[in-house]
């Protein structure tokens, strides 16, 4: 009989920083820690320090018992436990993250990409607790997505299912980092909003406060501020972004018929500026049989801890099975 | 201890005819029967006769023991056991098929649409026996689809998931029966092929044997025959159809990452005429991470019994749970 409280480590591996929390089965965070990601050229050194940071955290909390580790990482592959060709990390190629980290911490461990982790977090601790079929869309630099069907995350044959950011929104449209053209994430993301805003600036001479700004200062946050202040070009940029996102999501609904689509990530913080046009466009483009069956909703988790809660949910799900 | 062999009735409910088979757990068909669908204006009379036909079949085979009934029907809703707004049946609105039929045959019963049934048939008895993640596309008058993930059919929140025929292949494209424009099934289906062929005839003056035919005689089968005889317009029509299907399937792969996509139905009988351009186009449009991870394959079931095997698989799956 162990009187200590069972927790898992939920790790959010980002390009700049790695943040982790010790999370119990109810989603309470008992301790947190962090480590720079980008200063570690060597995976082995990084993993050693990450393990040490977690152990250090646990040493302060004898009331906790670590049961497992969940990791959300860009380009994370759940099936293989790898991070594959991450564009913003020092480690290149196929990084055998789970296999290597288990050498430092011999516990149950699972890894997936950040959007999948977000979906699991929403299902276990957030606004999708009563849902078995839903989508999570993360609108950050790119567009990530997690698909849940029958209460399980869809990983597909490769472990890479849920790449809605790379469905084609505009045939022969904008160039995408993936080498193709017209991918949804080149329109519906913080970067996409910025491209749309600059395009609108170049195509019209509508007044905008941001005309005086250096292009580098025209961030998604700056466009959101301008839109809230009534800037017509900024408002149009949000409207256009939501229009494209909503119509593309209509195709996603035709695939898995979710009861809800959660919009998360930096761009979702713009609130109704992005939610309203996305909702309108989804409703307009939906097949009749799906009308009224799917809502667009905000996350039920605090933005600052959503990622570590998602990573924790991933491994709690494994432990509960 | 009952020495009789357990079977289920697999029912393929079509607009013109209803065909059923008594199918054991290994997919062997022990008896079949049929009933006209379209001569029955009244659902209750139809159900009474269908039940009588099944009982008649069983009376001849005292070695069989009926365990359950599976039904594949157009616009079938698995979750509700209903047929909803079927365009080609006499019965209108929301038809409570399972609830009504259970009054005649009080046995475990399940109903889904024909493409979903086909996917289950392929998984249990056909070419998807070793797969947990795949797609089935039925190319008939329209385009139906069934999505399998983690070994389970994706029904979604509504029971209507897998409507890939109504994802948008061409923005503002051809008018679709659903009231929208550019749906995949207006291009990739027997009807779509015919529309493409007539479009090509109208746009060019390339010689074609079918220029002399009455438009009503220009069926998908006639276009396939012409293509096999080297008709340049017919070959181009197939190529264009496969091109659009393949590029749209690339978006479906980005959703659920299937290991295989099975092409079934009348148009799939055209073989390489449709398979080759679809494969080429899928490979050309796939996100790099999915390259080489997904095949386009023919069904592993005989076309004439695929539908009843699919309906049987649906109820066998329920009974096995």
């Amino acid at each position: 009989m162990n009187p200590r409280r069972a927790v898992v480590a939920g790790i959010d591996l980002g390009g700049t920083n790695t943040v982790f929390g010790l999370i119990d089965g109810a989603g309470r965070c008992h301790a947190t820690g962090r480590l720079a990601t980008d200063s570690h050229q060597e995976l082995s050194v990084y993993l050693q320090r990450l393990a040490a940071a977690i152990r250090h955290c646990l040493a302060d909390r004898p009331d906790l018992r670590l049961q497992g580790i969940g990791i959300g990482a860009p380009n994370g592959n759940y099936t293989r436990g790898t991070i594959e060709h991450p564009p913003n990390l020092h480690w290149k190629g196929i990084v055998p993250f789970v296999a290597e980290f288990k050498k430092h911490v011999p516990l149950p461990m699972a890894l997936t990409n950040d959007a999948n982790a977000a979906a699991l977090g929403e299902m276990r601790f957030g606004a999708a607790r009563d849902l078995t079929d839903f989508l999570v869309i993360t609108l950050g630099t790119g567009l990530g997505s997690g698909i849940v069907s029958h209460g399980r995350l869809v990983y597909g044959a490769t472990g890479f299912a849920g790449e809605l950011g790379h469905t084609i929104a505009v045939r022969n449209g904008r160039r995408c980092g993936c080498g193709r053209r017209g991918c949804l994430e080149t329109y519906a993301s913080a970067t996409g909003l910025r491209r749309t805003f600059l395009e609108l600036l170049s195509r019209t001479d509508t007044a905008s406060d941001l005309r005086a700004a250096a292009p580098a200062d025209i961030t998604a946050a700056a466009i959101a501020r301008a839109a809230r202040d009534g800037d017509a070009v900024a408002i149009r940029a949000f409207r256009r972004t939501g229009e494209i996102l909503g119509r593309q999501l209509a195709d996603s609904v035709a695939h898995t018929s979710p009861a809800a689509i959660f919009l998360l990530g930096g761009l979702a913080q713009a609130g109704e500026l992005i939610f309203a046009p996305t909702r309108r466009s989804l409703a307009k483009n939906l097949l009749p049989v799906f009308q009224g069956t799917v809502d667009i909703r905000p996350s039920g988790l605090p933005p600052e801890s959503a990622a570590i809660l998602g990573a924790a949910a991933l491994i709690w799900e494994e432990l509960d099975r």
Side-chain angles (χ1 to χ4, degrees), chain A residues 135-158:
Chain A
L135 289 186
V136 159
I137 305 289
T138 60
L139 301 168
T141 312
L143 184 153
S145 62
I147 304 174
V148 172
S149 165
H150 290 299
R152 290 186 70 184
L153 200 62
V154 173
Y155 287 114
T158 57

Side-chain angles (χ1 to χ4, degrees), chain A residues 64-202:
Chain A
L64 303 178
R65 182 171 42 108
L66 188 66
Q67 300 271 76
I69 292 184
I71 304 126
N75 292 36
N77 185 299
Y78 169 79
T79 312
R80 295 195 278 259
T82 50
I83 301 177
E84 308 201 359
H85 308 288
N88 302 315
L89 300 179
H90 287 306
W91 322 313
K92 298 301 172 202
I94 295 179
V95 183
F97 195 96
V98 166
E100 290 300 316
F101 199 32
K102 276 194 172 174
K103 294 180 185 167
H104 298 273
V105 191
L107 281 177
M109 204 176 285
L111 175 150
T112 192
N113 76 43
D114 23 16
N116 284 346
L120 293 170
E122 216 57 66
M123 181 159 57
R124 191 169 185 112
F125 304 125
R129 263 177 285 192
D130 55 338
L131 300 179
T132 55
D133 296 82
F134 65 95
L135 289 186
V136 159
I137 305 289
T138 60
L139 301 168
T141 312
L143 184 153
S145 62
I147 304 174
V148 172
S149 165
H150 290 299
R152 290 186 70 184
L153 200 62
V154 173
Y155 287 114
T158 57
F160 282 124
E163 282 288 354
L164 305 197
H166 295 282
T167 59
I168 305 304
V170 178
R171 202 60 60 189
N172 300 314
R174 293 179 182 167
R175 285 186 191 286
C176 182
C178 75
R180 302 177 313 152
R181 297 185 73 138
C183 290
L184 179 58
E185 75 170 22
T186 67
Y187 298 87
S189 65
T191 323
L193 173 74
R194 199 173 159 269
R195 288 170 85 163
T196 300
F197 183 81
L198 293 173
E199 198 176 277
L200 290 172
L201 277 191
S202 74

